[in-house]
Amino acid sequence: MTSDNGQSKPVSIADDKVDLDLLASIYDRLDTAVWIFDFDLKRILWANGKTLEVMDASSLAELQLRDLGADMSPSVEKRLRQYRHDFWNRDVSFSEIWTLYPKGTPKVLQMVMSGLRLKDGRMALLCEAREHHEQQPETLRSAEALLHTTVMISLFTMDGLPLYRNTAARAACVSLATRFEEQFADPKDAQKLLEQVERERTSKLVARIKTGAGTRWHELTIRACHDAVTGQPAYLVSEIDVTELHETKERAQYLASHDTLTGLSNRTYLKERLTQILKTASEANQTATLYLVDLDDFKLVNDSMGHAAGDALLQLVSAKLKDLACPGDVVARLGGDEFLICHLEKEGSQSDDWFGQSLLNAFTPPQLIDGKAKHVGLSIGFAHYPEDGIKIDQLMRHADLALYQAKSNPSTKCVRYHERMKRLRNEHLAIRKDLEQAIREYEFVLHYQPVAFTGNDRVVAAEALIRWQHPEQGLIRPDQFVPIAEETGLINEIGAWVCLQVAHMQARLQKLKYPVGLSLNVSPRQLSDPLFVPLMQSLPSETGCDPSKISLEITETVLLGDIANAHETLAILKETGYQIVIDDFGTGYSNLAYLHNYPIDGIKIDRMFVEDITSGGEIVKLILSLAKALGADVVAEGVETIDQRSWLSKNGCNLYQGYLYSKPVPEDRFLSMLRTQMELAAT
Ligand code: C2E
Ligand code: CA
Ligand code: CA
């Protein structure tokens, strides 16, 4: 039992009546053993006569010589340290049953221990002990157990005042006077426990507890009982420290719910978190937006720069997403290069896609990946809560449809869900399915669009453009299936077919003695297809074509270093005799520096620049002078008017392609055009 002693008053005995020897003899006559123990020396400093009897000592001098520290167990040592600490802090005494082993014989003592300040200022232990004969072995053992156990056991009044703490509880508490509810880092935990014990007489909880060693996780079991001394209702609390276990569990839970690479949430608890955020939105009458974000050409980065660079890119993107998101938002990595953000809209939010737009803006400047500046393209699809869906599944599905749309259209990268997307997606899925059959059944045809001189309209070349002769849907334009074929990798097979057809056609033109070149479009993906170069190398001998009369149209992205070995591949193709032409020039990232490093034979100016050429055409003039410096031919694409053609002719652009001269036409039409031209020339 712990109790306050209060300040002890000095004994007032008249010096003339009682001398110190008398006092000493009184001590010796007491039936209580009294001794003073030196914490530091672990020896008895002084003891009365009863102590000598209890300790089986022949004299005080002999007792003082005993080294009590010699066979002291660590737990007793720890308890003594705890006592000294308690005495320093407060004037307290403890009543406990101890078993001592003087000369090996167990002696059960009912002890009262208190602090005694020595003359040199140190704290010593004053012990008063009575032999304890009447206790049952059971009681003795339980008292011992209570002393030694690491379980913290304490008793509190109904008002939370401490009545008792065992050694472990004393060692842990911040102060002996700490009330029940004061121990809790979160007062709500104490309240929860007390409410439950009120109802059910017992309760259990793992809570954060303030201890002398900082805040720790304790598992507390609390029971309603009665104080054995006063008979008043009380709470018996037993606690164990579960910090390690709890932290391991928390870490395991964190690992299970987070992506290790980026530290973002993973799919596991996504539903829970989304439910929470939508609940918040609904309760506060707020709206929320669910964004799905996908990186463009992530596979290309992985393949060409290595997985470490791919990882660095994913980390960079997640860091940016975290930066932009507000504290309550959900930011998760769904897997691969796909991310999810659920953003709670503040009242009076700007536009419905402002968050997605700021995301895109954050990626407008090139990003440093693995020490290299890279353009990182994003596609974003989003759906609003509640307008585009109320349930999580529905919002996810709708955002996914919008993302699909964003991915298939290079000009709109942040797209909101719309009902018509379902139909579009179904069409796409159907196309994807049908494409494989189209390859097996040879459902493709090539149309040819002539390239003519701006000065005299003579046809000097033609571009092969693919069409899909779908058995039910009729002729399908490449815009509707080439991106899908690129996505699925089917473009490699389709592209190989195009190359073979063009080679045969060129051989035919040669035989007919038509001095006309052909060009074909090569997707970036084809260049990294290991079968592509061997195919191109075999075509001249296989078909009899002249590779110098065939131009391979590649896009600027190929030259920007995203494709592994692009430089080598192009060099081999060039060596084999093919011409290399840059298609859609000017729509890429306009980094002209790379042009020097590549074996470029020609440039095709994108239709976009030709459209308003007649009102200035400064960019086209620039491209023309650049091409001249490089010694590259220039073809202007998408020429639809006579004015455009005249402008080109006047400004030194000799070649053009466009509806003005002819739309792409089937092979036989193209051949008859050439025949007519030859006949006219002959006359
Ligand atoms: P592209 O290589 O830029 O081809 C030019 C596109 O512009 C063609 O569309 C052509 O019909 C169109 N065009 C030509 N002159 C005019 C004009 O005066 N006005 C307008 N408004 N348009 C004009 P098409 O045939 O639909 O091809 C679209 C794209 O599909 C091509 O763009 C090319 O990127 C791709 N493509 C076509 N055939 C193939 C192929 O065999 N392989 C690969 N990988 N891609 C192909
Ligand atoms: Ca082209
Ligand atoms: Ca083009």
Side-chain angles (χ1 to χ4, degrees):
M1 192 68 48
T2 309
S3 67
D4 283 9
N5 260 353
Q7 205 59 45
S8 53
K9 285 193 190 115
V11 188
S12 81
I13 303 168
D15 285 350
D16 52 344
K17 290 195 187 132
V18 183
D19 63 18
L20 282 172
D21 288 344
L22 182 63
L23 263 180
S25 77
I26 292 172
Y27 269 114
D28 282 339
R29 263 196 276 161
L30 290 177
D31 195 32
T32 302
V34 180
W35 72 89
I36 300 166
F37 175 76
D38 187 317
F39 283 120
D40 299 304
L41 300 175
K42 301 209 173 62
R43 279 173 206 269
I44 286 174
L45 292 177
W46 175 84
N48 70 351
K50 182 70 181 175
T51 310
L52 300 183
E53 187 193 319
V54 169
M55 301 289 191
D56 198 7
S58 55
S59 67
L60 178 59
E62 188 258 308
L63 187 60
Q64 283 170 327
L65 279 175
R66 285 188 197 172
D67 178 6
L68 301 183
D71 53 358
M72 195 178 270
S73 74
S75 75
V76 171
E77 250 179 284
K78 193 171 155 201
R79 254 154 65 199
L80 289 174
R81 271 201 303 279
Q82 178 65 39
Y83 290 144
R84 175 151 62 172
H85 179 261
D86 291 343
F87 298 146
W88 268 118
N89 289 330
R90 290 187 78 200
D91 188 13
V92 284
S93 69
F94 304 109
S95 171
E96 284 168 353
I97 294 168
W98 278 62
T99 308
L100 301 184
Y101 298 87
K103 296 197 168 155
T105 321
K107 285 271 168 68
V108 181
L109 301 173
Q110 172 72 54
M111 309 238 294
V112 176
M113 285 167 287
S114 52
L116 187 79
R117 193 74 69 104
L118 298 175
K119 274 190 189 155
D120 60 10
R122 292 183 305 123
M123 185 61 76
L125 175 69
L126 174 66
C127 302
E128 301 157 57
R130 279 175 164 273
E131 283 195 83
H132 205 277
H133 304 292
E134 65 277 19
Q135 291 287 349
Q136 295 297 315
E138 188 78 353
T139 323
L140 293 178
R141 290 190 179 120
S142 65
E144 274 288 291
L146 209 55
L147 273 177
H148 289 285
T149 180
T150 53
V151 180
M152 294 157 269
I153 295 170
S154 40
L155 193 72
F156 293 92
T157 66
M158 298 291 278
D159 299 331
L161 281 173
L163 289 170
Y164 166 80
R165 282 189 170 96
N166 76 339
T167 328
R170 279 211 306 276
C173 66
V174 173
S175 136
L176 293 172
T178 308
R179 300 166 60 89
F180 175 73
E181 66 280 3
E182 283 170 354
Q183 314 171 84
F184 290 83
D186 182 354
K188 278 200 249 77
D189 286 336
Q191 208 180 337
K192 218 187 292 174
L193 268 168
L194 290 177
E195 277 169 11
Q196 197 185 1
V197 83
E198 188 106 326
R199 282 195 314 271
E200 297 162 25
R201 304 212 35 91
T202 171
S203 68
K204 198 168 179 169
L205 187 77
V206 173
R208 275 166 54 237
I209 298 294
K210 293 186 259 183
T211 76
T215 306
R216 309 277 299 172
W217 285 97
H218 283 187
E219 185 185 271
L220 297 100
T221 309
I222 142 164
R223 239 174 262 286
C225 65
H226 285 89
D227 175 17
V229 177
T230 62
Q232 293 295 311
Y235 296 126
L236 180 69
V237 181
S238 60
E239 286 164 69
I240 45 174
D241 189 319
V242 292
T243 309
E244 273 79 39
L245 188 75
H246 191 86
E247 281 173 355
T248 316
K249 223 162 105 188
E250 276 203 328
R251 178 92 196 124
Q253 207 164 51
Y254 177 88
L255 287 177
S257 61
H258 286 75
D259 170 43
T260 37
L261 179 68
T262 61
L264 298 181
S265 305
N266 62 18
R267 271 181 188 275
T268 317
Y269 291 104
L270 193 60
K271 198 153 187 177
E272 224 169 88
R273 301 204 51 205
L274 288 176
T275 311
Q276 189 56 45
I277 202 171
L278 294 187
K279 190 165 160 252
T280 311
S282 130
E283 282 167 2
N285 222 354
Q286 270 176 297
T287 62
T289 318
L290 191 140
Y291 290 92
L292 290 181
V293 178
D294 195 292
L295 303 189
D296 297 343
D297 301 326
F298 176 68
K299 206 181 159 313
L300 224 58
V301 173
N302 244 349
D303 291 350
S304 64
M305 297 177 68
H307 282 269
D311 284 355
L313 171 58
L314 292 174
Q315 283 168 334
L316 181 127
V317 171
S318 21
K320 278 227 161 46
L321 295 183
K322 266 189 267 183
D323 259 11
L324 285 169
C326 299
D329 294 354
V330 177
V331 186
R333 180 176 170 215
L334 298 181
D337 59 340
E338 209 177 315
F339 297 87
L340 175 148
I341 296 156
C342 192
H343 173 75
L344 207 56
E345 302 288 350
K346 301 274 169 307
E347 221 172 307
S349 282
Q350 297 97 318
S351 59
D352 64 1
D353 65 345
W354 75 272
F355 186 81
Q357 287 303 339
S358 35
L359 247 174
L360 285 182
N361 290 341
F363 284 93
T364 311
Q367 309 290 319
L368 260 191
I369 302 157
D370 217 10
K372 290 194 194 109
K374 283 259 149 200
H375 175 82
V376 177
L378 299 184
S379 296
I380 304 172
F382 65 95
H384 267 297
Y385 168 89
E387 300 121 88
D388 298 337
I390 300 169
K391 296 214 175 95
I392 297 167
D393 293 352
Q394 201 178 24
L395 283 168
M396 294 266 274
R397 241 183 308 120
H398 288 173
D400 194 43
L401 280 171
L403 174 64
Y404 193 80
Q405 183 81 4
K407 280 205 91 71
S408 38
N409 187 345
S411 57
T412 51
K413 297 315 289 172
C414 183
V415 178
R416 180 173 173 179
Y417 163 76
H418 192 282
E419 255 178 277
R420 66 169 181 274
M421 288 176 182
K422 262 184 222 160
R423 188 177 45 81
L424 271 171
R425 158 90 141 209
N426 289 342
E427 278 173 20
H428 270 210
L429 288 179
I431 286 177
R432 192 185 271 226
K433 210 167 111 249
D434 289 358
L435 261 180
E436 285 173 36
Q437 178 181 322
I439 294 171
R440 282 196 306 272
E441 309 281 326
Y442 301 105
E443 289 173 4
F444 300 106
V445 285
L446 289 182
H447 282 193
Y448 291 88
Q449 185 175 35
V451 175
F453 274 126
T454 45
N456 60 12
D457 266 353
R458 249 185 82 84
V459 176
V460 286
E463 177 179 4
L465 293 158
I466 195 167
R467 272 93 183 95
W468 178 5
Q469 193 71 58
H470 194 281
E472 285 134 38
Q473 297 176 33
L475 210 61
I476 302 181
R477 300 279 301 250
D479 289 337
Q480 281 175 273
F481 68 89
V482 167
I484 300 172
E486 282 173 339
E487 211 178 275
T488 53
L490 290 171
I491 194 69
N492 288 342
E493 276 183 73
I494 297 172
W497 177 85
V498 172
C499 294
L500 187 66
Q501 298 307 305
V502 170
H504 277 300
M505 180 65 163
Q506 203 291 316
R508 204 162 152 201
L509 294 179
Q510 226 172 218
K511 257 190 222 136
L512 292 167
K513 301 232 172 342
Y514 293 159
V516 177
L518 291 179
S519 70
L520 62 93
N521 295 282
V522 178
S523 285
R525 200 167 170 154
Q526 281 176 268
L527 284 180
S528 41
D529 174 12
L531 299 177
F532 184 66
V533 169
L535 169 76
M536 296 312 282
Q537 286 173 320
S538 72
L539 286 178
S541 59
E542 290 277 309
T543 64
C545 71
D546 174 0
S548 70
K549 293 272 187 236
I550 297 178
S551 299
L552 306 179
E553 297 191 7
I554 56 172
T555 50
E556 278 172 286
T557 43
V558 170
L559 308 181
L560 287 171
D562 283 344
I563 292 166
N565 308 325
H567 201 278
E568 287 92 318
T569 306
L570 291 178
I572 299 172
L573 294 170
K574 177 89 184 143
E575 224 169 85
T576 314
Y578 295 101
Q579 306 271 305
I580 311 290
V581 167
I582 302 182
D583 201 2
D584 305 335
F585 188 81
T587 57
Y589 308 114
S590 303
N591 181 355
L592 304 175
Y594 59 73
L595 284 178
H596 290 293
N597 305 326
Y598 286 91
I600 306 299
D601 299 292
I603 288 173
K604 294 186 87 169
I605 304 179
D606 193 71
R607 192 168 81 228
M608 186 170 96
F609 301 107
V610 175
E611 221 168 336
D612 51 2
I613 204 176
T614 45
S615 55
E618 294 307 321
I619 295 175
V620 176
K621 280 184 197 162
L622 203 75
I623 298 173
L624 285 168
S625 62
L626 175 85
K628 203 167 171 189
L630 289 169
D633 288 335
V634 178
V635 177
E637 290 189 300
V639 178
E640 294 181 347
T641 65
I642 293 169
D643 287 348
Q644 287 168 339
R645 187 187 54 194
S646 319
W647 188 98
L648 289 164
S649 174
K650 236 186 282 154
N651 286 278
C653 179
N654 299 328
L655 302 168
Y656 81 102
Q657 178 184 347
Y659 292 174
L660 175 64
Y661 188 87
S662 165
K663 287 196 168 185
V665 293
E667 187 181 289
D668 50 351
R669 272 282 313 280
F670 174 57
L671 285 171
S672 69
M673 271 164 98
L674 291 180
R675 198 181 316 120
T676 314
Q677 179 169 288
M678 286 291 277
E679 284 164 6
L680 281 174
T683 55

